[in-house]
Amino acid sequence: LDQNHGSVLEHVYVSYAIINASRSYLAQQTRHRMFNYTSSSQHYIDHSDMSDAEVPVEIIELNDPEVLDVYMRGYNSAKEAYNTLVNKYKIDHAVARQLLPNAQRNVLVVTANLRSWLNYMNQRICFRNTSEIMYIAKLLRDDLKELCPTVVEYMVPDCILKGHCS
């Protein structure tokens, strides 16, 4: 790695199941094209029994019940509209899913080679990301530290590696 020979990392594959992250996390994660994904389906699954929302830490940290209430009312309104379409109007859940909010929790299985994980960490541990993305990236990095401690020391934001924010 010190000599910029990352190709040897392409022979090591690591998979993770990421459970209860938001659908908006899924949208950001899939920007990494060298990863393989399996995600819970919104097309084939009826989400009438939608679980609770993923509440961003930025909202929780405000410690303001009114802000949390606005957030949850928005989520619950979408959930109620979805259920009304599916249950009352018999709209196929594959059509009604368009109403499902990004805060809906998701199950995602992600597989990539170690070079791709390194690139992911360089981008996603950066403070320009949402707290959810940074938190998950740090959990993954902590786990990778057990598997490949030598590589993890390079899993830092790009700005640290380059000496400036790009």
Side-chain angles (χ1 to χ4, degrees):
L1 288 175
D2 284 340
Q3 297 175 10
N4 202 23
H5 292 295
S7 64
V8 296
L9 301 177
E10 294 175 10
H11 300 283
V12 178
Y13 279 81
V14 181
S15 297
Y16 287 101
I18 301 171
I19 300 168
N20 287 333
S22 68
R23 295 295 293 194
S24 59
Y25 171 81
L26 166 67
Q28 288 301 307
Q29 174 65 45
T30 57
R31 298 294 174 259
H32 296 274
R33 307 257 191 268
M34 301 305 290
F35 283 61
N36 296 312
Y37 302 100
T38 301
S39 176
S40 57
S41 174
Q42 287 186 329
H43 182 82
Y44 296 105
I45 298 172
D46 182 349
H47 290 277
S48 297
D49 62 346
M50 218 185 311
S51 65
D52 60 335
E54 177 63 32
V55 180
V57 71
E58 292 86 352
I59 289 178
I60 294 169
E61 286 176 344
L62 290 174
N63 200 26
D64 186 334
E66 188 175 334
V67 173
L68 180 60
D69 183 59
V70 169
Y71 184 85
M72 292 309 298
R73 277 189 285 131
Y75 180 80
N76 290 327
S77 176
K79 183 166 71 170
E80 183 180 323
Y82 173 90
N83 285 328
T84 299
L85 289 175
V86 170
N87 298 321
K88 181 177 180 181
Y89 297 107
K90 306 303 180 206
I91 301 296
D92 187 83
H93 61 272
V95 174
R97 73 186 171 126
Q98 298 296 89
L99 287 173
L100 295 175
N102 273 334
Q104 184 184 14
R105 293 179 187 264
N106 184 52
V107 175
L108 178 65
V109 176
V110 182
T111 300
N113 67 47
L114 204 48
R115 189 178 204 173
S116 295
W117 281 114
L118 179 61
N119 176 264
Y120 168 86
M121 296 301 172
N122 296 155
Q123 294 177 26
R124 297 305 182 176
I125 293 179
C126 172
F127 288 111
R128 295 179 304 153
N129 292 289
T130 66
S131 57
E132 182 182 29
I133 291 169
M134 288 187 303
Y135 177 72
I136 292 170
K138 287 176 182 178
L139 288 176
L140 296 172
R141 184 184 63 187
D142 288 349
D143 190 71
L144 286 166
K145 192 174 193 174
E146 298 290 321
L147 299 172
C148 49
T150 305
V151 177
V152 171
E153 67 186 67
Y154 295 89
M155 292 182 174
V156 295
D158 275 338
C159 61
I160 291 174
L161 293 174
K162 295 175 182 176
H164 61 83
C165 181
S166 56

